[in-house]
Amino acid sequence: MTTIRVGAWNVHEGVAEHGDVAGECVERVLDERIDLLALQEVPFPADRGLSPLLARLAERTRLRHHARNVLSPAWLVPGMLSGVAVASRFPIETTADTVLPNPRLESGGLRSFDKGAVTAVVKAAGQVVAMTSVHMPPFHRFGERADNPELGYIWDSLARHLEPKEGELTVIGGDFNTPHRGLLLERIEAELESSVSAPTHKGKAVDDIVHSASVKRLSARIVRTFSDHCLCVVELGLA
């Protein structure tokens, strides 16, 4: 059986109390032998050029290919931008991105930024794999519930973007900002499975790797890092 190791990681815009953030990202990728990595809160320069973090991964690890979707101003680093990305060991054949509807929530001077997803389609072990990085709005920050029916249109929009094409294996890594995976999985016709149920951020299971049910999950683990979100790592058997 051929296996791949996939990861999902909200990197907190590269902000840490101390240490070399990019260096730790490289170290984690190497230690966990990650082949495909879905990243959220990736820092980008104001000119929307290459993220220094993605550049370091390309230089020091096997993740030399990337797809990105720059979404909004960074909320932790003035003058920078923030977005999602997929870093891949395999050459990327096609990409697709989406910006989700912004609910325009406000609370205590904070406004909801644009969130979204980016998909990279690769070939691995003779299989076509569509790897997506997702970042959903932090509904709780504004006193809203992620399962509020009035916000369902945001989940509908994401589900339309993620509906698998024929012959593709689906892998979705993301910060869903809720432990309720059914808000997405029940909106997608294809059968998908969640991998991570352990708390990944402030005691809640908000980060996950979701994959096609036809793929065999061999292992799943979380790794605590500099970020306020754990790195999720799942090993999948493709054939």
Side-chain angles (χ1 to χ4, degrees), residues 33-205:
R33 307 188 312 281
I34 294 174
D35 299 300
L36 286 165
L37 179 61
L39 294 160
Q40 302 82 46
E41 291 193 13
V42 180
F44 291 93
D47 63 2
R48 294 177 175 261
L50 179 62
S51 165
L53 176 57
L54 293 176
R56 183 77 74 90
L57 289 175
E59 291 169 0
R60 303 289 179 86
T61 77
R62 300 183 301 173
L63 305 185
R64 298 187 175 91
H65 312 278
H66 69 267
R68 58 181 179 165
N69 188 5
V70 183
L71 293 165
S72 65
W75 66 284
L76 294 171
V77 187
M80 294 287 284
L81 301 174
S82 182
V84 293
V86 172
S88 171
R89 176 168 73 88
F90 313 102
I92 296 173
E93 300 193 345
T94 61
T95 65
D97 57 45
T98 188
V99 178
L100 297 172
N102 190 329
R104 307 296 176 187
L105 301 173
E106 295 187 28
S107 177
L110 181 67
R111 296 183 178 181
S112 57
F113 288 148
D114 287 343
K115 299 296 183 183
V118 63
T119 299
V121 178
V122 305
K123 284 187 178 177
Q127 303 267 16
V128 178
V129 179
M131 177 72 177
T132 300
S133 177
V134 170
H135 197 183
M136 290 297 290
F139 302 108
H140 60 281
R141 286 183 178 271
F142 304 94
E144 291 284 355
R145 292 175 56 91
D147 58 358
N148 181 345
E150 294 184 0
L151 298 172
Y153 66 95
I154 303 174
W155 295 100
D156 292 339
S157 177
L158 179 61
R160 286 193 296 271
H161 174 76
L162 294 176
E163 194 66 53
K165 296 180 180 179
E166 185 175 356
E168 287 184 352
L169 296 176
T170 296
V171 182
I172 305 163
D175 176 359
F176 295 92
N177 264 309
T178 177
H180 303 300
R181 303 292 180 266
L183 291 170
L184 176 63
L185 301 188
E186 292 172 5
R187 287 174 159 87
I188 296 178
E189 292 186 9
E191 187 176 357
L192 303 176
E193 294 182 354
S194 166
S195 297
V196 179
S197 58
T200 59
H201 173 70
K202 297 183 178 179
K204 295 184 178 181

